[in-house]
């Protein structure tokens, strides 16, 4: 049974940092592209970042480029999203998901991901 469980969300002040974790089970995480999405109230789900299964290639949305870093530890079946210099507009529920793609795309679409975690809330506010 494929499972993804996000953790690490919380309340942080603008300019602060959080590290999200996506713990996986039921499959070999090293075989799949793993992505992070976020969804703010009243907005569509937005692709934030993804990482390839083999060569370490990554994608970042323009809105987070230079502030967020995605990484994976295949031995721990876990993917991380380090978020620095957080802004109020980063407030959202963050989800991790597995993709059936074989390559890092030029954009991220939720339609290309088929297994999802339950999400973790990130709130950036003073």
């Amino acid at each position: 049974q494929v499972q993804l469980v996000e953790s690490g969300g919380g309340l942080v002040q603008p300019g602060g940092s959080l590290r999200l974790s996506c713990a996986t089970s039921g499959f070999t995480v090293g075989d799949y592209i793993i992505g992070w999405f976020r969804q703010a109230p009243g907005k569509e789900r937005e692709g934030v970042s993804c990482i390839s299964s083999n060569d370490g290639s990554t994608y970042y949305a323009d809105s987070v480029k230079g502030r967020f870093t995605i990484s994976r530890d295949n031995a721990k079946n876990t993917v991380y999203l380090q978020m620095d210099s957080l802004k109020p507009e980063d407030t959202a529920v963050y989800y991790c998901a597995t993709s059936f793609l074989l390559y890092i795309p030029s954009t991220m679409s939720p339609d290309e991901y088929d297994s999802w975690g339950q999400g973790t809330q990130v709130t950036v506010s003073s």
Side-chain angles (χ1 to χ4, degrees):
Q1 181 180 359
V2 173
Q3 283 194 316
L4 299 94
V5 179
E6 302 93 337
S7 62
L11 173 64
V12 63
Q13 292 187 339
S17 298
L18 284 173
R19 188 176 81 155
L20 305 184
S21 298
C22 174
T24 71
S25 61
F27 66 103
T28 303
V29 68
D31 289 344
Y32 293 89
I33 289 174
I34 305 294
W36 284 96
F37 288 79
R38 66 186 181 186
Q39 190 165 20
K43 294 189 176 181
E44 292 187 352
R45 193 163 294 193
E46 171 193 20
V48 174
S49 181
C50 62
I51 187 166
S52 73
S53 59
N54 47 20
D55 63 2
S57 299
T58 57
Y59 162 91
Y60 294 97
D62 287 343
S63 57
V64 307
K65 205 170 290 185
R67 301 188 298 121
F68 290 11
T69 304
I70 192 170
S71 62
R72 65 193 302 156
D73 185 337
N74 290 342
K76 295 183 177 180
N77 295 320
T78 301
V79 176
Y80 304 98
L81 186 67
Q82 177 67 41
M83 306 188 296
D84 299 319
S85 303
L86 283 162
K87 305 175 181 180
E89 51 263 44
D90 295 318
T91 296
V93 178
Y94 283 70
Y95 302 88
C96 61
T98 61
S99 176
F100 49 78
L101 295 178
L102 301 179
Y103 53 87
I104 294 294
S106 57
T107 61
M108 289 177 67
S109 168
D111 294 338
E112 295 168 339
Y113 290 75
D114 48 12
S115 294
W116 294 81
Q118 83 291 345
T120 186
Q121 176 71 46
V122 171
T123 302
V124 185
S125 174
S126 54

